[in-house]
Amino acid sequence: MLMSNLQHLTFSVRTFGCQMNMSDAERVTGILEAAGLLEADSLENADVAIFMTCCVREKADTQLFAQVSSLKNLPAPRSGRRTVMVGGCIGQRDGEAIRTHASNVDAVFGTQALPRLLELLKNAREAPQSVLKDHPLVDVEEPYTDTNDEIIRRPEKTFSAWLPIMYGCNNFCSYCIVPYVRGRERSRLPEVILEEAKLLREDGVKEVTLLGQNVNSYAYGFAELLQGIADIGFERIRFTSSHPKDLTDDIIDVMSKNTNIMPHLHLAVQSGSTRVLKKMNRKYSREDYLSVVQRLRKKIPHLCLTTDIIVGFPGETEQDFEETLSMVREADFDRAFTFIYSKRKGTPAATWENGSTPEEIADRFQRLVRLVEEQSLRANQKVLNDIVDVLVESVSKKDPSVMVGHSPNNVTVHFDLPNGSTPNDYIGEIVPVKIELAKTWYLRGTIQAKDTFASRAVR
Ligand code: SAM
Ligand code: SF4
Ligand code: F3S
């Protein structure tokens, strides 16, 4: 039997990067548990230490290599041998070359290797350490065959699930490594996705998030799929990421008509300057983006709009940056993830002169962050004294008497655990919370009686 010598080994997975990696990590956990491995209490104690990696910006690379190397001098785990595996996007990018930065890696697997993970692990456990010392085992094949595989996974949360609808990306934004490490766009069949969604619902999942690098270009029609998911009856439906060039009116219509599709859209703008957007190969202008926003706001007046912005892209001038600031105001973003441009080897932009100094870029970044924070605070203040639905997810790490969840707009909400109750009375429940404090990054309030009306239509 393939798995026989893997049973009772312990494993631990550490995950970096985006939701797609988190979803893949749940899949890794599911595959290993189904083969009889047990989750360890820490990465350090695990017989099999797995890193699901990200290389979208340079910081992610540095972080990974330090963490992998830190396992080198630790005592061996219970089985007497630690197997270190690196998967995900750095695995796909670097293959065997990962050893340049992390000499203790035994096996490397790429973003399309999950169906073959057990085989790789078994080979790594059986190979003499003297062999692995010279070369790690590597599986970075891109067979394009796993698209419609049944997904075995062990979700982090029982009430909330990721649901991948497509893999890869065809957009080749000039700064971005993702198309090179995730391959070309492959859409899963709608019947496979809907069947999986029904199973999740039957298992008690309340919130489902459809995943893809650009879900709007789902090959079999995103609007139709979204309606099909809405009909299954989840309490909360989310999807990410959307690309402005593919956000068509039929998708906006489905969002506006179904109250279980959350009134929150993450729509990366990247820059407010048409000149920069063109160099980024985003395939829309400033005006195109603002017109999508206008259409959205017309159909979904209470929409919460969030975005991604890159500062310091090669050739960005002060004038271009001012246009980004005015875009943030005009589009009236509720929140934004802001990034300093990071050169990614192999992408077109990596060969372009920057033209701005690191000090100028840092200064722009600070100005952008200040503006985004002002807007986030203002957006959060709009719900003061409102009662909002909160999906309760966990206990605060800082204070065990505080519960943490998310509003329909995906804002973090804190509330005190009522006297006489335990966290498990609330985790996984959607409860009404009256908002009494609004901060830039979170809201705080008091839980209300269960039957208190909380309108999904309010922010
Ligand atoms: N496909 C999604 C999209 O286009 O919205 C997500 C792409 S990526 C996982 C998330 C964000 O990282 C991007 O929207 C972009 O803002 C940022 N990003 C990607 N490459 C970058 C780079 N080289 N430097 C800085 N930020 C980058
Ligand atoms: Fe990267 Fe652009 Fe694809 Fe998003 S759409 S993953 S930013 S190439
Ligand atoms: Fe990172 Fe790969 Fe996601 S590079 S952002 S984990 S697709």
Side-chain angles (χ1 to χ4, degrees):
M1 266 296 281
L2 174 68
M3 297 117 197
S4 56
N5 68 344
L6 299 180
Q7 279 187 0
H8 308 305
L9 287 181
T10 61
F11 73 95
S12 180
V13 185
R14 183 159 296 169
T15 309
F16 301 81
C18 67
Q19 292 96 336
M20 196 52 95
N21 246 18
M22 294 182 202
S23 165
D24 283 352
E26 289 186 349
R27 220 175 141 187
V28 168
T29 302
I31 290 170
L32 297 184
E33 285 189 344
L37 286 89
L38 305 167
E39 193 161 16
D41 58 0
S42 71
L43 193 80
E44 290 72 19
N45 290 336
D47 299 313
V48 183
I50 301 183
F51 293 87
M52 295 300 284
T53 61
C54 169
C55 50
V56 77
R57 285 170 290 275
E58 190 182 350
K59 203 167 142 211
D61 283 50
T62 330
Q63 229 180 6
L64 172 82
F65 297 134
Q67 293 201 20
V68 174
S69 299
S70 75
L71 293 178
K72 239 187 272 183
N73 302 319
L74 294 180
R78 210 173 41 131
S79 67
R81 178 173 177 180
R82 174 180 294 110
T83 300
V84 178
M85 301 179 87
V86 172
C89 296
I90 296 184
Q92 185 70 45
R93 182 193 63 184
D94 289 357
E96 178 160 353
I98 205 150
R99 281 283 182 86
T100 325
H101 300 286
S103 59
N104 56 330
V105 174
D106 298 300
V108 184
F109 59 98
T111 52
Q112 295 177 52
L114 296 192
R116 303 177 302 282
L117 181 69
L118 283 182
E119 201 180 320
L120 185 71
L121 173 57
K122 182 171 181 278
N123 292 341
R125 293 298 293 187
E126 282 177 355
Q129 270 175 319
S130 55
V131 171
L132 292 184
K133 205 163 146 282
D134 293 335
H135 299 283
L137 301 181
V138 176
D139 181 349
V140 290
E141 294 294 304
E142 298 183 81
Y144 299 105
T145 53
D146 67 341
T147 314
N148 291 308
D149 275 5
E150 180 201 356
I151 297 190
I152 309 171
R153 70 179 122 221
R154 213 261 281 128
E156 281 280 321
K157 300 171 188 149
T158 51
F159 48 86
S160 181
W162 309 115
L163 180 47
I165 66 165
M166 60 203 293
Y167 304 109
C169 181
N170 285 350
N171 288 316
F172 289 95
C173 301
S174 60
Y175 50 81
C176 185
I177 193 82
V178 172
Y180 305 88
V181 289
R182 289 272 168 184
R184 292 296 67 69
E185 218 168 87
R186 286 106 58 212
S187 292
R188 304 178 72 211
L189 290 171
E191 52 269 32
V192 175
I193 297 168
L194 289 169
E195 191 51 39
E196 210 169 290
K198 280 183 199 142
L199 293 175
L200 291 172
R201 184 69 190 142
E202 280 165 29
D203 281 349
V205 167
K206 293 192 171 139
E207 177 182 68
V208 71
T209 304
L210 307 182
L211 285 186
Q213 292 303 339
N214 175 11
V215 292
N216 303 146
S217 69
Y218 175 68
Y220 306 100
F222 184 61
E224 209 178 314
L225 179 73
L226 191 57
Q227 184 59 58
I229 298 283
D231 292 340
I232 291 173
F234 292 97
E235 274 92 340
R236 291 184 166 196
I237 297 158
R238 303 183 183 280
F239 54 91
T240 195
S241 294
S242 287
H243 194 300
K245 76 178 168 57
D246 298 312
L247 189 75
T248 45
D249 284 339
D250 54 349
I251 300 171
I252 302 175
D253 280 343
V254 173
M255 283 184 78
S256 72
K257 282 185 191 136
N258 292 276
T259 52
N260 58 351
I261 301 178
M262 292 296 95
H264 168 216
L265 185 71
H266 187 75
L267 194 63
V269 64
Q270 313 297 3
S271 167
S273 151
T274 297
R275 205 182 66 82
V276 172
L277 288 169
K278 200 164 170 40
K279 286 184 73 186
M280 286 178 161
N281 194 29
R282 290 291 289 179
K283 302 190 179 83
Y284 54 85
S285 64
R286 174 190 177 90
E287 290 67 34
D288 294 335
Y289 188 92
L290 285 169
S291 122
V292 176
V293 173
Q294 209 175 26
R295 281 189 278 134
L296 279 161
R297 299 239 185 256
K298 201 165 153 208
K299 287 257 169 70
I300 317 169
H302 54 284
L303 182 78
C304 163
L305 188 65
T306 61
T307 200
D308 291 348
I309 300 169
I310 297 177
V311 176
F313 184 76
E316 180 190 78
T317 62
E318 177 60 25
Q319 168 68 33
D320 294 317
F321 175 69
E322 296 279 344
E323 289 185 38
T324 296
L325 291 179
S326 74
M327 169 62 95
V328 171
R329 291 191 197 95
E330 258 183 76
D332 195 17
F333 295 120
D334 291 71
R335 296 186 294 281
F337 293 114
T338 48
F339 307 106
I340 288 183
Y341 167 73
S342 171
K343 192 186 267 198
R344 299 287 72 198
K345 209 169 151 211
T347 62
T351 60
W352 301 343
E353 280 293 312
N354 197 297
S356 301
T357 64
E359 293 72 27
E360 282 166 337
I361 295 172
D363 174 65
R364 285 180 204 153
F365 186 70
Q366 285 311 321
R367 285 151 68 202
L368 176 65
V369 168
R370 267 201 302 276
L371 176 62
V372 165
E373 288 186 354
E374 269 170 41
Q375 286 192 196
S376 303
L377 180 61
R378 205 174 335 120
N380 282 347
Q381 283 170 338
K382 286 186 192 157
V383 291
L384 272 174
N385 298 316
D386 282 352
I387 293 171
V388 299
D389 284 332
V390 175
L391 173 57
V392 188
E393 287 156 30
S394 59
V395 178
S396 159
K397 285 191 188 114
K398 287 194 195 140
D399 181 349
S401 69
V402 172
M403 302 301 298
V404 184
H406 282 90
S407 73
N409 289 354
N410 222 9
V411 181
T412 305
V413 181
H414 295 181
F415 65 89
D416 284 333
L417 184 64
N419 283 338
S421 47
T422 66
N424 283 341
D425 296 337
Y426 293 100
I427 289 177
E429 296 296 315
I430 295 176
V431 299
V433 173
K434 182 165 184 200
I435 302 303
E436 288 146 354
L437 177 72
K439 295 283 199 185
T440 308
W441 300 118
Y442 70 95
L443 300 167
R444 198 185 159 92
T446 304
I447 188 168
Q448 307 293 298
K450 271 208 166 161
D451 51 2
T452 308
F453 173 73
S455 165
R456 289 199 170 85
V458 294
R459 282 171 181 262

